[in-house]
Amino acid sequence: MSQQTPDAPTGSVLPAVGSGKRVRVHHLAAAKEAGERLTMLTAYDAPTGRIFDEAGIDMLLVGDSIGDNMLGHANTLPVTVEEMIPPARAVVRSTKRAMVVVDLPFGSYEASAEQAYTAAVQVMKETGAHAVKFEGGVRVAAQVELITGAGIPVVGHLGFTPQSENILGGKRVQGRGEDAVEKLCEDAVALQEAGVVAVVLEMVPAPVAARVTEILQVPTIGIGAGPACDGQVLVWLDMAGMGDWAPRFAKQFGQVGAELRRAAEAYAGEVRTGSYPAQEHSYQE
Ligand code: KIV
């Protein structure tokens, strides 16, 4: 039986949780048209993929933020296509409804449309994902066009683009000042004309994100970009209180890190005192 997510509006244009249907590119367009907000979180493994899918998150991003959030790197730059494949496979396998989007990591798409095409095809073939995402505007429009033309949906990423943090001078709000706003709008339109199905807007002033959202026909998905975007995305560890640091724009909707620490300490305590394992956790024959 199909079951709507607790908070999904009645008459949603998106497939219901439990309906056996995936969120697809036409649902993204329909959601924008209907004014229905899209939800997106990162996921890097099967357990979180399953939980977020069951929770009715519409899109799961296997982000290259796996680099700094899971693999212990300082940023996303060291991540390779090969490292993206196993987590992306795990997330695809563990979900029934969410559209799974996989980041093309730094160095896998910037040089040419052909380079990007090769990376996107590898990701799609080896993971079963439903779309790829990569950073940049006008400079990657040819990449978007070739990949989209080959039948692979592309999500764009503008504003603060973490792979360019060195040239941007660190994690800084983008799109400040008239010229920067014009450039952002130009990039957004170039991506749309090249065929993207959605655009992530990261760390841009809320009024600027509102303007980009208004001029685009495809949905914008904000992260630190205010409330006017057509959807929102967060790194799940920031959303759930799992990391030791979270950006100012992230709201913690849980304290998963504290709960995990409490569980680990309780486990260690019981092992040390001998109260775990008890009879009921043991095989007698
Ligand atoms: O890799 C990632 O997690 C991202 C989000 C910040 C949008 O690109």
Side-chain angles (χ1 to χ4, degrees):
M1 201 181 86
S2 94
Q3 179 201 338
Q4 202 69 43
T5 58
D7 295 329
T10 6
S12 169
V13 296
L14 299 166
V17 175
S19 66
K21 291 195 182 122
R22 279 268 174 207
V23 175
R24 297 283 185 185
V25 290
H26 63 276
H27 294 118
L28 307 188
K32 172 123 187 175
E33 176 81 23
E36 194 175 330
R37 289 229 167 110
L38 292 161
T39 57
M40 189 184 206
L41 280 177
T42 63
Y44 313 105
D45 56 26
T48 52
R50 177 181 57 76
I51 290 168
F52 299 155
D53 193 54
E54 288 170 359
I57 301 300
D58 305 315
M59 302 167 80
L60 292 181
L61 172 65
V62 185
D64 60 350
S65 53
I66 193 170
D68 39 338
N69 284 279
M70 292 285 167
L71 302 179
H73 295 305
N75 54 37
T76 63
L77 272 68
V79 177
T80 63
V81 174
E82 282 64 35
E83 284 175 314
M84 296 298 292
I85 304 273
R89 274 191 194 133
V91 173
V92 171
R93 284 187 197 128
S94 65
T95 56
K96 295 190 169 77
R97 175 182 177 274
M99 171 187 284
V100 179
V101 182
V102 180
D103 262 336
L104 296 190
F106 178 61
S108 71
Y109 65 92
E110 302 90 334
S112 67
E114 289 69 25
Q115 184 203 26
Y117 169 83
T118 304
V121 168
Q122 183 183 355
V123 164
M124 297 300 282
K125 264 189 195 291
E126 295 184 19
T127 69
H130 312 111
V132 296
K133 173 172 92 54
F134 47 92
E135 300 177 3
V138 171
R139 74 180 167 93
V140 296
Q143 281 84 329
V144 174
E145 207 167 322
L146 183 63
I147 293 172
T148 305
I152 302 171
V154 177
V155 174
H157 187 155
L158 293 173
F160 174 66
T161 44
Q163 294 172 11
S164 306
E165 71 161 66
N166 289 308
I167 210 155
L168 296 175
K171 289 187 181 15
R172 302 173 66 195
V173 174
Q174 301 297 305
R176 281 185 166 145
E178 242 171 72
D179 289 353
V181 174
E182 278 320 305
K183 173 76 176 104
L184 190 64
C185 292
E186 190 194 324
D187 280 333
V189 170
L191 288 179
Q192 174 169 277
E193 285 174 356
V196 295
V197 295
V199 178
V200 168
L201 291 177
E202 181 163 356
M203 287 178 74
V204 297
V208 177
R211 177 154 159 212
V212 175
T213 300
E214 201 176 297
I215 62 176
L216 290 187
Q217 274 103 53
V218 296
T220 56
I221 301 177
I223 172 164
C229 293
D230 300 303
Q232 292 291 323
V233 57
L234 281 177
V235 167
W236 84 256
L237 295 91
D238 298 342
M239 178 281 302
M242 177 66 187
D244 50 8
W245 172 89
R248 200 192 108 192
F249 59 73
K251 177 173 168 181
Q252 295 190 345
F253 292 83
Q255 292 301 327
V256 173
E259 175 56 15
L260 199 52
R261 184 174 302 112
R262 189 207 58 73
E265 285 169 358
Y267 162 75
E270 291 200 17
V271 169
R272 286 182 191 123
T273 60
S275 59
Y276 176 81
Q279 281 286 90
E280 68 267 31
H281 310 116
S282 310
Y283 303 104
Q284 301 309 328
E285 55 185 69

